[in-house]
Amino acid sequence: MAVEHITTKNFDEKVTNSTGTVLVDFYADWCGPCKMLAPAVEDIAESHPDIRVYKVNVDEENALAVKFKVMSIPTLIVFKDGVQAETSVGMVSKQELEELIQ
């Protein structure tokens, strides 16, 4: 499954009201560590078809960044059955990302 960009308009539908595991990557286009993390996030999306993976551009969706208290990017938040379960701030390895979604 490919990584999909989401907005404030469809966040509840795609994340909060969903069942199962969802990974949300809060990023910005100008963020170096975000660009470095992107291939690992895409690998997770492809190697775990049971997990939905979404990206939120904090520059375009500031309300979501504020709602989830995103102070630094990249910030990864794992939701389980619509509830925030895990959060990771900063650059992480693919192995750490795998552990985060478990």
Side-chain angles (χ1 to χ4, degrees):
M1 177 181 219
V3 177
E4 182 181 338
H5 286 78
I6 58 174
T7 65
T8 305
K9 291 180 182 177
N10 63 358
F11 190 89
D12 285 341
E13 171 195 342
K14 301 278 188 177
V15 180
T16 312
N17 298 333
S18 70
T19 57
T21 302
V22 177
L23 173 65
V24 181
D25 176 11
F26 288 85
Y27 79 102
D29 290 332
W30 50 263
C31 168
C34 298
K35 291 177 185 179
M36 292 170 46
L37 183 61
V41 171
E42 290 168 14
D43 283 351
I44 292 294
E46 302 218 356
S47 62
H48 295 276
D50 55 318
I51 295 175
R52 288 174 304 289
V53 181
Y54 300 112
K55 292 178 83 73
V56 173
N57 185 322
V58 297
D59 289 334
E60 296 172 0
E61 300 298 331
N62 191 49
L64 284 174
V66 169
K67 179 178 180 178
F68 292 101
K69 298 175 177 62
V70 175
M71 304 300 280
S72 298
I73 50 175
T75 292
L76 300 167
I77 302 179
V78 176
F79 293 83
K80 298 207 183 220
D81 296 328
V83 178
Q84 187 173 342
E86 299 287 338
T87 302
S88 172
V89 178
M91 183 65 192
V92 293
S93 68
K94 184 168 184 232
Q95 179 61 38
E96 291 169 312
L97 190 49
E98 290 278 355
E99 292 168 9
L100 186 70
I101 61 173
Q102 295 308 317

